[in-house]
């Protein structure tokens, strides 16, 4: 593991980050913008599924319409996050909030995968709140909590970063 | 009163002292600040995507804008409240910061433009030029976010 982290710190993108003082803040900005798309769309999905808002918008089409935006945001957050990690692989790997963020992201991903596996085909037909199954609502509540926790863990990384 | 005098005065207030002495308030305020940023930026991005027809199939922009109004209002309120708290916690370090000053100066016209164009778009005014208006608003917010990130480096 230590060998892998040391090797990562020597890769071309890591060296590029080390030699360009502008790269890190620019990547951080991209990361914040990408996260915004994920959180913005995820909260709309979850609030709609929970029946707490967006009542005038049929749930199925709302989910379908915003899915690509959410995925694009996630791809951007993942790519910029991976590059930010490369700037100090060893420090991040030891950072408790960073580890917690990865674990929470895995849980959020698992929650989403289970949701898609179970409701992927039928969700297009969800119109009114009553047609959303109770299980889907529980998962929406879980999703809200997990994404909130991912955000807090991400914010805490800087407070615990060494080196 | 100069900004430096104001910063020194704010630094001595009980509010600033309380913020400095709490380990939890700053990360909590930062998290709420980022969540507010996320809602505002995604709202601007989604308005542009809806205007371009890239989000949803034929969603009417005026209706979309109407549905997002309350959420945006809460996010703007939380953004300004948490931003004020974050400055009040470290006024002598934050207020002289060039990136922060530029961000604060830009916020007024950016928020005013965002609210003005939303009102026109929600009324579906033909002259509102939805694609240009939503693109300009998103670009302005991106600049504000960039400046916000830059505070730590300025």
């Amino acid at each position: 593991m230590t060998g892998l982290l040391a090797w990562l710190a020597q890769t071309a993108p890591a060296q590029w980050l080390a030699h360009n003082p502008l790269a890190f803040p620019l990547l951080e900005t991209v990361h914040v913008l990408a996260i915004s798309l994920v959180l913005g769309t995820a909260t709309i999905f979850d609030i709609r599924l929970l029946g707490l808002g967006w009542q005038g918008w049929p749930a199925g089409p709302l989910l379908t319409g915003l899915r690509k935006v959410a995925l694009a945001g996630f791809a951007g957050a993942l790519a910029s996050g991976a590059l930010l990690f490369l700037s100090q692989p060893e420090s991040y790997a030891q950072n408790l909030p960073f580890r917690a963020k990865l674990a929470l992201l895995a849980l959020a991903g698992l929650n989403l995968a289970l949701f898609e596996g179970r409701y992927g085909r039928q969700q297009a037909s969800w119109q009114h709140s009553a047609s959303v199954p109770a299980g889907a609502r529980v998962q929406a509540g879980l999703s809200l909590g997990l994404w909130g926790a991912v955000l807090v863990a991400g914010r805490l990384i800087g407070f615990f970063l060494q080196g | 009163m100069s900004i430096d005098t104001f910063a020194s005065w704010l630094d001595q207030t009980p509010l600033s002292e309380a913020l400095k002495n709490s380990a939890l308030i700053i990360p909590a305020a930062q998290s709420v600040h980022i969540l507010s940023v996320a809602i505002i930026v995604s709202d601007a991005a989604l308005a542009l995507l809806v205007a371009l027809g890239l989000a949803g199939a034929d969603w009417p922009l005026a209706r979309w804008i109407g549905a997002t109004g309350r959420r945006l209002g809460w996010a703007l309120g939380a953004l300004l409240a948490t931003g004020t708290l974050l400055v009040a916690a470290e006024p002598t370090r934050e207020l002289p910061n060039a990136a922060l000053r530029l961000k604060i100066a830009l916020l007024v016209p950016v928020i005013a433009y965002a609210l003005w164009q939303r009102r026109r778009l929600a009324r579906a005014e033909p002259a509102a030029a939805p694609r240009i208006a939503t693109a300009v608003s998103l670009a302005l917010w991106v600049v504000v976010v960039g400046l916000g990130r830059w505070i730590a480096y300025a």
Side-chain angles (χ1 to χ4, degrees):
Chain A
M1 189 69 179
T2 319
L4 175 68
L5 293 170
W7 174 78
L8 281 174
Q10 298 303 317
T11 54
Q15 290 299 312
W16 173 74
L17 276 162
H19 293 105
N20 285 285
L22 283 178
F24 195 85
L26 279 176
L27 277 171
E28 280 186 319
T29 305
V30 172
H31 199 59
V32 170
L33 294 172
I35 286 172
S36 295
L37 290 183
V38 176
L39 289 173
T41 47
T43 48
I44 294 176
F45 291 159
D46 295 336
I47 285 169
R48 179 64 190 92
L49 290 175
L50 286 165
L52 299 174
W54 302 87
Q55 306 285 19
W57 297 74
L62 190 67
L63 262 63
T64 313
L66 297 182
R67 182 173 285 119
K68 280 182 195 159
V69 183
L71 289 174
F74 190 75
L78 199 64
S80 53
L83 283 169
L84 289 169
F85 172 79
L86 280 182
S87 70
Q88 297 183 58
E90 282 151 321
S91 303
Y92 283 113
Q94 291 168 14
N95 185 284
L96 200 63
F98 178 77
R99 290 181 174 194
K101 183 177 176 179
L102 289 192
L104 289 162
L105 271 173
L107 285 175
L110 182 68
N111 187 43
L112 183 65
L114 290 172
F115 182 88
E116 290 297 327
R118 195 159 173 206
Y119 304 111
R121 286 185 187 165
Q122 53 163 294
Q123 59 183 248
S125 66
W126 294 344
Q127 295 291 324
H128 305 292
S129 295
S131 56
V132 179
R137 289 182 205 202
V138 171
Q139 284 197 270
L142 203 57
S143 163
L144 265 187
L146 283 169
W147 284 116
V150 167
L151 181 142
V152 173
R155 200 44 274 189
L156 286 175
I157 291 173
F159 288 88
F160 290 82
L161 203 60
Q162 288 162 354
Chain B
M1 187 165 28
S2 74
I3 289 184
D4 287 345
T5 325
F6 174 70
S8 304
W9 169 80
L10 186 58
D11 194 48
Q12 304 297 321
T13 56
L15 171 69
S16 188
E17 295 291 339
L19 292 168
K20 285 186 197 79
N21 291 327
S22 164
L24 284 177
I25 293 181
I26 297 303
Q30 286 181 339
S31 298
V32 175
H33 199 69
I34 294 285
L35 183 61
S36 311
V37 168
I39 288 174
I40 292 164
V41 169
S42 64
D43 182 82
L46 287 171
L48 173 62
L49 291 172
V50 170
L52 292 170
L54 293 173
D58 306 324
W59 288 351
L61 181 63
R63 199 169 156 244
W64 177 263
I65 297 276
T68 54
R70 200 160 59 155
R71 167 182 160 99
L72 186 72
W74 278 107
L76 274 174
L79 184 87
L80 296 175
T82 50
T84 307
L85 277 183
L86 292 170
V87 171
E90 288 186 300
T92 50
R93 187 174 148 239
E94 299 280 342
L95 285 174
N97 187 293
L100 179 84
R101 287 185 181 194
L102 191 55
K103 182 181 173 182
I104 292 174
L106 268 180
L107 267 179
V108 178
V110 170
I111 292 175
Y113 180 75
L115 297 179
W116 173 72
Q117 58 100 356
R118 282 178 62 89
R119 180 172 291 192
R120 280 161 55 106
L121 293 170
R123 288 183 191 149
E125 287 179 19
R131 292 175 184 190
I132 295 171
T134 49
V136 169
S137 197
L138 175 62
L140 289 171
W141 281 116
V142 168
V143 171
V144 171
V145 170
L147 283 170
R149 268 297 68 198
W150 205 258
I151 293 171
Y153 301 89

